[in-house]
Amino acid sequence: MALVVTGLRNGTAFMDPETGNPFIVLKYEHIKMGRGGAVIKVKARNILTGAIIERGLKSGGTVEEVDLSKKPVQYLYKDGQTFNFMDPVTFETIELSADIVGELCNFLLEGSTGTVNFYNDTPISFDLPTSMFFTVTSTMPGEKGNTVGNAQKPAIIETGATVYVPMFINEGERIKVDTRDGKYVERG
């Protein structure tokens, strides 16, 4: 199925028109040139080899979309550099490498759910919900009068990741975090 290049987004899989290999978009950027047409720049990972490329595609062009299958999973535990998940329907264990899980490992809690994307029965990427709630386990106390502008302080959440939060957040509070960029969203 043809996909207009302006429809490419992070996580979208497509066939590279130059090499004919399947790629998954890591970063998408729309660049408007002065009088000329717009250019779409994508940073993408080759699904088969793991090689990362950068491509400039014309705004009106199309690419062939790659069909991925998705499977919901539940996180179990980490064993060395391998993350173990369970298919909640078949109870089958799915092992994913740290390369596939990527930065999302900072937001994995035992029992949390996500989605594994497969290409020809091979896991190629992992997704979590765009935002999740976590408990703050450690942070500095906020100081009165230290709230000019958007003052923030580091806080460690229950997964061990550091998130920058507003000064009024205290230890033990639940916060909502955007898993795509690791930023504080709101108090829970």
Side-chain angles (χ1 to χ4, degrees):
M1 182 170 116
L3 176 69
V4 179
V5 295
T6 53
L8 291 174
R9 294 291 180 260
N10 294 355
T12 306
F14 70 99
M15 285 291 187
D16 181 37
E18 290 183 28
T19 64
N21 290 326
F23 283 84
I24 190 160
V25 177
L26 302 175
K27 186 177 178 187
Y28 169 91
E29 192 176 3
H30 185 273
I31 300 170
K32 175 74 173 122
M33 305 293 211
R35 287 186 172 182
V39 174
I40 308 301
K41 285 189 84 173
V42 294
K43 184 176 183 181
R45 181 173 30 99
N46 186 314
I47 291 174
L48 305 174
T49 65
I52 294 177
I53 62 161
E54 289 192 16
R55 286 275 186 269
L57 304 167
K58 290 188 180 182
S59 180
T62 60
V63 291
E64 195 65 31
E65 188 173 12
V66 172
D67 198 22
L68 300 178
S69 59
K70 297 177 182 285
K71 185 182 282 192
V73 293
Q74 182 177 19
Y75 177 61
L76 298 174
Y77 61 94
K78 181 181 178 187
D79 183 22
Q81 291 297 310
T82 304
F83 294 87
N84 293 278
F85 297 85
M86 176 183 68
D87 181 327
V89 176
T90 64
F91 302 108
E92 164 192 7
T93 300
I94 299 169
E95 295 180 346
L96 298 179
S97 69
D99 291 339
I100 292 174
V101 175
E103 294 295 314
L104 293 177
C105 68
N106 293 322
F107 306 108
L108 282 176
L109 283 173
E110 187 176 315
S112 58
T113 58
T115 306
V116 177
N117 299 306
F118 291 87
Y119 176 71
N120 292 343
D121 296 326
T122 302
I124 58 156
S125 66
F126 174 72
D127 297 318
L128 279 174
T130 56
S131 60
M132 295 173 65
F133 285 95
F134 299 96
T135 302
V136 174
T137 58
S138 174
T139 189
M140 303 178 306
E143 294 178 24
K144 219 172 194 173
N146 195 7
T147 56
V148 175
N150 288 335
Q152 294 192 323
K153 61 182 179 180
I156 298 174
I157 58 174
E158 57 195 303
T159 62
T162 300
V163 176
Y164 284 87
V165 299
M167 298 301 283
F168 59 81
I169 298 295
N170 296 310
E171 285 183 20
E173 288 193 64
R174 302 262 306 152
I175 60 170
K176 189 177 197 179
V177 177
D178 187 328
T179 58
R180 296 170 295 188
D181 57 13
K183 293 188 177 174
Y184 168 86
V185 177
E186 65 186 13
R187 208 185 322 202

